Amino acid sequence: MPRPLAVTIGDPAGVGPEIVVAAAERAEALGLPPFRVIGESDADCHAGSPTAHTARIALDALQEATRLVQSGECSGLVTGPIAKSAIAALQPDFIGQTEFFADACDLPRDASVMMLAGPSLRTVPMTVHCAIADVPGLLSQELIVERTRIVARAMHTDFGIETPRIAIAGLNPHAGEDGRMGREEIDMIAPAIAQLRGEGIDASGPHPADTLFAPHKRGSYDVAIAMYHDQALVPLKALDFDEGVNVTLGLPIVRTSPDHGTAFDIAGKGIARPDAMIAAIRMAGEIAERRAND
């Protein structure tokens, strides 16, 4: 029998517990891989009312699920939505779950990469949780090359694509228009693409971001790399909001998550859709099986 996945409930004041329960109720009918639910059931938690206590439950579940996967008891983990600021109040160096797992695996935080995957699109933001004003200063040829290498390896090992086609967006409107609207494409992005292509990676660009996600373009690549958070997440959520999955690439462990937040405003009302949690469980199982058979 295959080892189960570890599925955390996230912040118990959010929709995490109810979408995990809904996934469990449908697991057999949908052919989902086996999974264990990780997280404290506490009658003192009230839906829609996050507290330091609910944040502690979410953090403890993350730590326990990580232990189960690293010990080999579970084959991968799926994380329910959390309130990052609430956990940061308990653990000041906490930025997000992607960085948490890099730390847990003793890797530099830049060694883990967030990919958003849905039925229509896969996207990767080169920079993530930072102000737009900080993005140009955080970008570099070295960062683009290293993160794209991680993406290329993961697309091969975790998604079974022999030679993934990677489309890289520009930062500025019209990909800078030959330097008229910024030089990042000329000075950093194009040289990074040339370096990647020299290594045998099928990278293209810099592509204007306003056309990269059009229907006729999406079939020309397997994953799109964007330069900042919303450049990657807006198209993914517009196309695949209810089935979007957050996948952490570059880790020795398998980790996925539904690509939505805690939704405190609808928690406990019975209207939260479990589709993204179901998709995250299914994808984690597929990646874990592919790695086991590699």
Side-chain angles (χ1 to χ4, degrees), residues 155-245:
M155 293 299 291
H156 174 66
T157 60
D158 293 347
F159 291 87
I161 301 174
E162 186 67 29
T163 306
R165 301 165 300 165
I166 303 173
I168 300 180
L171 171 67
N172 299 295
H174 303 175
E177 207 170 86
D178 298 323
R180 290 183 63 249
M181 289 185 282
R183 291 193 54 86
E184 285 82 5
E185 288 77 12
I186 294 171
D187 295 339
M188 292 186 291
I189 303 174
I193 292 168
Q195 182 176 343
L196 291 161
R197 292 188 66 83
E199 296 174 5
I201 293 173
D202 186 1
S204 65
H207 298 280
D210 63 345
T211 58
L212 182 58
F213 304 106
H216 69 281
K217 294 285 282 189
R218 293 199 301 272
S220 66
Y221 55 83
D222 298 301
V223 58
I225 293 184
M227 292 299 115
Y228 56 91
H229 183 278
D230 285 10
Q231 194 183 50
L233 271 69
V234 166
L236 188 285
K237 291 192 175 185
L239 291 165
D240 295 323
F241 184 85
D242 290 317
E243 296 179 79
V245 177

Side-chain angles (χ1 to χ4, degrees), residues 7 12 43 68 75 116 118 123 130 150 155 166 169 209 211 217 219 238 254 269 287:
V7 179
L68 289 169
S75 60
L116 298 312
T123 63
C130 62
I150 292 170
M155 293 299 291
I166 303 173
T211 58
K217 294 285 282 189
V254 176
K269 296 180 180 179
I287 294 173

Side-chain angles (χ1 to χ4, degrees), residues 37-170:
V37 178
I38 312 299
E40 178 185 341
S41 176
D42 191 331
D44 294 333
C45 296
H46 299 287
S49 301
T51 64
H53 178 55
T54 64
R56 171 55 63 185
I57 291 173
L59 180 58
D60 288 348
L62 280 179
Q63 293 168 335
E64 174 63 8
T66 304
R67 184 193 69 77
L68 289 169
V69 175
Q70 291 181 322
S71 70
E73 295 175 63
C74 290
S75 60
L77 59 94
V78 180
T79 57
I82 61 165
K84 288 189 279 288
S85 60
I87 292 183
L90 303 174
Q91 188 170 302
D93 65 343
F94 186 90
I95 297 175
Q97 295 188 103
T98 300
E99 295 83 3
F100 172 89
F101 292 117
D103 291 346
C105 295
D106 294 322
L107 294 172
R109 289 182 172 181
D110 279 351
S112 63
V113 173
M114 182 172 78
M115 182 172 81
L116 298 312
S120 307
L121 182 66
R122 299 185 189 98
T123 63
V124 172
M126 191 57 58
T127 59
V128 187
H129 298 119
C130 62
I132 288 289
D134 296 335
V135 170
L138 293 171
L139 291 174
S140 67
Q141 180 177 339
E142 293 73 23
L143 178 72
I144 296 166
V145 167
E146 184 52 40
R147 293 204 149 196
T148 304
R149 287 173 180 156
I150 292 170
V151 172
R153 286 194 297 268
M155 293 299 291
H156 174 66
T157 60
D158 293 347
F159 291 87
I161 301 174
E162 186 67 29
T163 306
R165 301 165 300 165
I166 303 173
I168 300 180

